[in-house]
Amino acid sequence: MDWERLQRHLISGFKLGNFSAHDQDHWRRVERYGMYLAPINGADIIIVRLFAWLHDSQRESDGHDPLHGERAELIARTLCGDYFQLEPHRLELLALACRDHEKGRLTEDPTVGTCWDSDRLDLDRVGKTPDPQYLSTASARELARLRPADRRREAGC
Ligand SMILES: [Fe+2]
Ligand SMILES: [Fe+2]
């Protein structure tokens, strides 16, 4: 798994430039939160890391962009087999996590829950406190209680 090759590809294809709230700095923090939460939650850490890099990579606007989850699913399916390898059932989990990540849903699946929670924990970058009500896993709800700076420190962001 060549993470750098994947990262270069996604960064170079990102349309919103260097001042976006959804750019690679967000992707890296989501990855850090995911790597912190995955072992606690029993999540598939490769899927969680792939989600972090893919989920907002196809945004075309920093505002309302209701199809960016579907575009992320599509790019996940397109890049699988070339930029990364996943068995079919794991690709389906990644696809679901990408497609539905901004629909405000909760899930019982530990891997999908870790993906969505890692994204939501980084809401403080835009001045919003992550709401525990919208977090699927207990470990993320714990993190959400911390001040943003403490949360980032705890997760190694
Ligand atoms: Fe998103
Ligand atoms: Fe995001």
Side-chain angles (χ1 to χ4, degrees), residues 12-63:
S12 69
F14 185 59
K15 294 189 174 136
L16 299 179
N18 293 328
F19 296 93
S20 166
H22 300 96
D23 72 355
Q24 57 175 299
D25 294 337
H26 169 56
W27 309 345
R28 284 181 206 282
R29 282 190 301 272
V30 174
E31 182 181 32
R32 293 310 309 179
Y33 282 128
M35 290 170 81
Y36 174 91
L37 296 173
I40 304 173
N41 294 344
D44 183 325
I45 198 163
I46 300 295
I47 293 177
V48 168
R49 292 183 68 190
L50 286 167
F51 169 85
W53 282 88
L54 291 164
H55 77 286
D56 279 340
S57 68
Q58 306 304 304
R59 263 191 178 267
E60 294 176 356
S61 157
D62 275 320

Side-chain angles (χ1 to χ4, degrees), residues 50-89:
L50 286 167
F51 169 85
W53 282 88
L54 291 164
H55 77 286
D56 279 340
S57 68
Q58 306 304 304
R59 263 191 178 267
E60 294 176 356
S61 157
D62 275 320
H64 189 58
D65 188 351
L67 294 179
H68 80 277
E70 286 173 33
R71 291 194 298 269
E73 175 190 4
L74 184 63
I75 195 79
R77 293 186 186 284
T78 304
L79 299 185
C80 185
D82 181 357
Y83 285 80
F84 60 88
Q85 313 293 330
L86 286 180
E87 301 89 331
H89 71 281

